[in-house]
Amino acid sequence: MLTRTAAILLPLALLGCGANLRLEAPPAPLSQKVTVLGIPNERFWPDTDSEALVAEAAMMAAREGTEAGARPLPPAHFLALSGGGDNGAFGAGLMLGWSVSGTRPWFNIVTGISVGALIAPFAFLGPDYDEQLREVFTGLAARDVVLLPPVISGAFALVFGEALADVSPLTRLIYRHANEAMLSAIAAEYAKGRLLLIGTTNLDLQRPVIWNVGAIAASGHPYALELFRSILLASASIPGAFPPVLVNVAIDGRQFQEMHVDGGAAAQVFLYPSSLHLAAAARERGIARERTVYVVRNGRVAVEAGTTTRGILSITRRAASTLLHFSGISDINGIFLTAQRDGLGFRLAYIGSDFQAERREPFDPVYMRTLFEYGYAQGLRGETWRNRPSAVQSFAPPTEPSAPSAAR
């Protein structure tokens, strides 16, 4: 019996390995020479590219017409959108309620990670895109994002595959909204001096990557739209659950492939690296203006208390959830401290303990619509914003969901 099973599984294993072939990853020492579209500012390595980011900020000011001596400078507004899976319905609802309140600013910079990356283009382009954003987050069901395999094929994927889920529905969703019209609109806003930055994680190098979507959109490159869609899909691709995204790159004419996954593998939310001293760089260029960063955490600050059962899956899932939660809290604290150092105002919004809806499954449409309306009400009233990070506390959810929360 064992011999017969081995005879069946071995060819399948070889087939699975063959299906997952890819081009070689770029050599790590040459990572700075890697190019996708051939434009110098298409992306940044936040751990080493502070000077490149300062240069991009200077070009941004020049395009905006706010270089030194041009005119009195208006306040600048930055928006950082976190990951959070189906909790992204909170951030989407918040944007729409904020629009209706009449107090939502135009953001000079918008950043997004994971589900925050899916919200970011709509938030960047403003209220004209609110209804599309509503459609994405209130018309979704689990089948519109992922297709889960049967138990047997799921077990096979766990051993031989690269992901458990089929994300072709999410891919179709991205293709429907991230189209030529959206790319052209992003390029037009980039020309006005605004930045849209999306984070992914380069799994080969184990490094975060910041993609300069406006520069990509404005490049006119025939691959720009495909790359934009790949960035959005990669940023939302939870490792192991969703397939990674392979990005074709080149070094001196030689072709390679990079493997990119969820930006949340490296950070849950970002603004700019702390090594970039924004205030000092602005002073050197004679630029003085008021700046405020708005951080939207698509999740809670409080942790959900409960009894963890004694089992490998239960303990591992609970530990991973705890790790991601406090990783996100640490990222928010980092943004706050950097904002204080550089003289930025700080505002934070998140799902409060007063939100008590039950999630029956990941991407439960009833849960997401309820959360969207909660976020909408928060944005409309304008009372959700805190001017400093909140202390982490515990709360007990009303009922235990019958399925684990969606990964961040």
Side-chain angles (χ1 to χ4, degrees):
M1 181 64 181
L2 289 176
T3 304
R4 183 183 304 172
T5 302
I8 294 172
L9 287 179
L10 182 58
L12 291 175
L14 294 174
L15 180 62
C17 293
N20 294 332
L21 290 178
R22 53 166 290 193
L23 294 181
E24 180 185 356
L30 301 179
S31 60
Q32 294 298 128
K33 297 181 65 177
V34 170
T35 180
V36 185
L37 301 185
I39 59 175
N41 60 339
E42 62 197 7
R43 64 182 185 177
F44 308 101
W45 303 98
D47 49 349
T48 59
D49 279 351
S50 290
E51 291 185 9
L53 283 164
V54 169
E56 184 67 24
M59 291 191 294
M60 172 186 174
R63 291 193 305 273
E64 188 189 3
T66 57
E67 63 271 19
R71 55 183 168 85
L73 305 183
H77 305 280
F78 307 149
L79 175 66
L81 297 158
S82 84
D86 51 8
N87 282 329
F90 168 74
L94 180 70
M95 288 295 114
L96 270 75
W98 202 357
S99 293
V100 174
S101 76
T103 61
R104 174 177 163 184
W106 280 90
F107 301 105
N108 301 69
I109 299 175
V110 175
T111 73
I113 284 277
S114 194
V115 75
L118 301 182
I119 300 171
F122 301 101
F124 179 76
L125 293 174
D128 286 349
Y129 281 75
D130 278 357
E131 288 311 308
Q132 288 192 46
L133 184 58
R134 181 196 297 272
E135 177 191 337
V136 169
F137 282 91
T138 62
L140 280 181
R143 64 181 180 277
D144 300 315
V145 180
V146 296
L147 297 175
L148 297 176
V151 174
I152 295 177
S153 57
F156 182 82
L158 188 63
V159 177
F160 302 117
E162 60 182 7
L164 290 174
D166 173 5
V167 292
S168 54
L170 177 60
T171 303
R172 288 192 293 270
L173 182 71
I174 289 173
Y175 272 55
R176 185 163 71 249
H177 292 280
N179 51 29
E180 288 283 4
M182 175 177 275
L183 196 69
S184 296
I186 292 171
E189 294 304 316
Y190 178 74
K192 298 175 186 176
R194 301 176 64 221
L195 294 181
L196 172 59
L197 306 175
I198 300 296
T200 67
T201 301
N202 183 318
L203 210 55
D204 298 312
L205 293 178
Q206 295 185 310
R207 293 175 70 186
V209 181
I210 297 175
W211 295 89
N212 189 357
V213 177
I216 291 168
S219 69
H221 196 284
Y223 182 58
L225 180 59
E226 183 179 347
L227 178 59
F228 174 41
R229 289 166 166 170
S230 295
I231 291 166
L232 293 178
L233 183 60
S235 189
S237 294
I238 304 163
F242 294 2
V245 174
L246 295 175
V247 176
N248 296 321
V249 300
I251 302 176
D252 298 329
R254 185 179 172 190
Q255 298 300 308
F256 298 92
Q257 280 183 326
E258 295 177 341
M259 181 178 286
H260 287 260
V261 297
D262 191 342
Q268 299 298 301
V269 65
F270 75 98
L271 181 59
Y272 57 84
S274 59
S275 58
L276 192 166
H277 290 255
L278 183 63
R283 282 195 301 269
E284 289 176 5
R285 290 164 173 78
I287 298 174
R289 70 193 308 182
E290 178 185 336
R291 299 179 179 87
T292 303
V293 55
Y294 297 86
V295 180
V296 176
R297 174 167 169 80
N298 289 302
R300 302 180 186 272
V301 169
V303 290
E304 296 186 20
T307 300
T308 305
T309 58
R310 297 182 63 178
I312 292 175
L313 291 179
S314 175
I315 293 170
T316 302
R317 184 168 61 241
R318 188 71 166 166
S321 175
T322 304
L323 173 66
L324 289 171
H325 184 91
F326 283 95
S327 171
I329 298 300
S330 177
D331 291 334
I332 291 170
N333 290 339
I335 292 175
F336 173 71
L337 293 174
T338 300
Q340 284 211 315
R341 182 199 66 190
D342 290 341
L344 278 67
F346 178 88
R347 303 290 184 270
L348 171 66
Y350 54 84
I351 302 171
S353 298
D354 57 326
F355 180 73
Q356 295 283 301
E358 180 184 0
R359 180 200 281 117
R360 296 182 180 277
E361 62 177 353
F363 300 99
D364 176 355
V366 175
Y367 173 85
M368 291 182 67
R369 284 194 292 271
T370 305
L371 181 55
F372 180 94
E373 293 303 327
Y374 172 83
Y376 183 94
Q378 297 294 310
L380 185 62
R381 290 198 302 267
E383 300 170 354
T384 189
W385 300 104
R386 282 80 168 176
N387 60 12
R388 62 187 306 111
S390 300
V392 176
Q393 298 176 331
S394 296
F395 82 102
T399 56
E400 280 294 317
S402 56
S405 298
R408 298 182 193 280

